[in-house]
Amino acid sequence: MLTCSSTLDPNQTIPTLNMIALGIVILLSVGIPIYAFLMSKRQFLGRWQLLFFGATNFLVVEFFLTNLILFLPFLIPGFQDIPAKYPLPYSILCVLLVGAISEIGRYIILGIGLKEYPSIGTSAMFATGTATTHALLLIAWNALQSLLICLTINQTGLQELIAAAGEEADEMLLSLEPLFTVSWLTYLSSGIHVAANFILHFSISMIFFAVIKNNAPTYLLGLAIGLRALYELPTYLYTYGILFPSAFVAELFVVAIAAAIGYIGWKLTHQYCAEDIENLHWDPYGGSPKKQTPFPKFNENIKK
C-alpha cells in the first residue's frame, strides 16, 4: 500500500512545531491586516471603501490576469519544455511580466480611486485591501486547511486514514507527504511573507500616489515595475531550482528585498508627499498624532 510513498511510516504523526508554525501563520495573516487597516484609517485617514479597490486589484489583476497571461504560452506546442531547458531566462522573463502587469494594473485602479478620494489615505487603504486579500485568500486559507489536516492525522491516526482511503490510499499518501517532510521554518516563512507583502504594497502605492497626484517623475513607474520584479525573483528562482537551497532561504531574500523597497518607498514618500502627510496632522518621524491647540475658553481674554 505504501509503494509510491515508502518513506512515510503509518505510525508517525505531524510534528508539534509544524502545527504551532501553521497557527502562527494564521494569526499573522489575520493580525497584520487588522493592524494595517487601523493604521490606514486612523493615521492616514483613509476611507474603508478603498479596501474594495485594493481587493479588486488583487483578484482581477494580480491573481487572474497575471496568471492567465503566464499560462497562455503553455498552450503553444513545445513551449512546455522551455522552463526546464532555460530556467534562468524564463524566471527573469516571468518576473518582468508579473511586475509590468501588476503595477500597470495598480496604477490604473489606484488612479480611479484617487479621482473619487484624492488623499494619501487612499493609497494606504488601497494597499491594505490588496495585501489583505492576498493574506486571507492564499496564506491564511491554505495554512488553515493544512492545520486542520494535521490535527485530523494526529487525532485519527494515519493507519486508519489509509484503511478508509482503500484503493486511493497511495494517492492520498502522496498528497499528505509534504505535511510530514516540510520543516516548520518553511511554514513560518509564509507568515513572514505576509509582512513583506504589506511593505511592498504600501511602498509602491505611495510611490504611485506621488506620481498621480504630486507630479513626481514618471520614471518612478518604471522603478516600481523593477522593484516588483526583484521582489518576485527569489520565489521563481527557488521554484526552478536555481540558487536557493530551501524555501526558507528564498523567503529571507524576499524579506531583505522588501525591507529595501520599504526604505525606498519611505524616502520617496517624504520627498514628494511631505505636505500631504503634514495635512494629516501626523508626525512622519515620530508616528504619533500631534496635539491640537485647544480652543480658547469663553471670556478668557476679557478676564485678562
Side-chain angles (χ1 to χ4, degrees):
M1 186 164 301
L2 296 175
T3 53
C4 65
S5 185
S6 58
T7 58
L8 268 185
D9 180 2
N11 296 315
Q12 71 182 112
T13 58
I14 305 293
T16 303
L17 276 178
N18 284 20
M19 292 190 288
I20 292 175
L22 286 170
I24 293 174
V25 169
I26 295 170
L27 290 176
L28 290 174
S29 300
V30 175
I32 293 176
I34 292 174
Y35 173 78
F37 172 76
L38 294 176
M39 184 184 70
S40 298
K41 187 170 180 61
R42 295 176 181 177
Q43 301 278 26
F44 289 95
L45 307 181
R47 293 175 177 267
W48 64 268
Q49 292 91 334
L50 271 300
L51 286 174
F52 295 102
F53 282 79
T56 300
N57 176 61
F58 174 78
L59 293 173
V60 175
V61 178
E62 299 210 2
F63 186 77
F64 176 74
L65 186 60
T66 301
N67 287 321
L68 177 63
I69 292 176
L70 291 178
F71 170 76
L72 285 177
F74 284 94
L75 299 178
I76 302 173
F79 187 86
Q80 294 86 344
D81 300 328
I82 290 181
K85 290 182 179 179
Y86 311 101
L88 182 58
Y90 179 75
S91 297
I92 294 174
L93 177 62
C94 282
V95 298
L96 289 174
L97 279 174
V98 170
I101 298 167
S102 299
E103 301 316 321
I104 291 173
R106 184 199 306 270
Y107 182 81
I108 294 172
I109 298 177
L110 180 57
I112 296 172
L114 286 170
K115 288 182 180 179
E116 295 292 327
Y117 308 104
S119 72
I120 195 170
T122 293
S123 287
M125 196 63 80
F126 178 91
T128 299
T130 301
T132 295
T133 307
H134 173 272
L136 295 181
L137 291 187
L138 297 186
I139 307 298
W141 178 244
N142 288 335
L144 179 60
Q145 285 182 310
S146 297
L147 181 59
L148 292 176
I149 293 173
C150 290
L151 291 172
T152 301
I153 291 173
N154 284 1
Q155 291 177 0
T156 305
L158 192 56
Q159 285 183 333
E160 291 190 23
L161 293 176
I162 292 173
E167 296 180 356
E168 299 179 356
D170 287 340
E171 183 178 350
M172 180 195 72
L173 289 173
L174 282 177
S175 65
L176 294 180
E177 189 169 3
L179 296 174
F180 292 89
T181 57
V182 172
S183 168
W184 65 273
L185 287 173
T186 302
Y187 288 127
L188 193 59
S189 67
S190 298
I192 299 173
H193 187 81
V194 174
N197 208 44
F198 268 88
I199 294 173
L200 168 79
H201 288 294
F202 262 85
S203 301
I204 295 183
S205 294
M206 290 300 177
I207 293 174
F208 280 6
F209 175 82
V211 174
I212 296 171
K213 299 302 296 181
N214 294 343
N215 298 317
T218 54
Y219 72 79
L220 293 179
L221 301 178
L223 174 65
I225 292 174
L227 292 175
R228 179 59 181 271
L230 183 63
Y231 175 82
E232 301 287 347
L233 186 59
T235 302
Y236 275 84
L237 292 180
Y238 169 73
T239 300
Y240 291 100
I242 305 172
L243 188 62
F244 300 108
S246 69
F248 183 73
V249 175
E251 195 61 46
L252 289 180
F253 275 81
V254 170
V255 171
I257 292 170
I261 293 173
Y263 177 76
I264 293 171
W266 186 88
K267 295 291 288 186
L268 291 175
T269 300
H270 286 85
Q271 178 179 352
Y272 294 105
C273 308
E275 185 176 349
D276 299 279
I277 295 174
E278 188 66 24
N279 289 338
L280 295 174
H281 304 290
W282 180 66
D283 181 3
Y285 301 102
S288 57
K290 293 181 177 180
K291 292 183 179 179
Q292 302 299 314
T293 304
F295 193 82
K297 294 181 179 180
F298 182 70
N299 278 342
E300 183 177 7
N301 293 330
I302 297 177
K303 293 178 181 179
K304 292 180 179 179

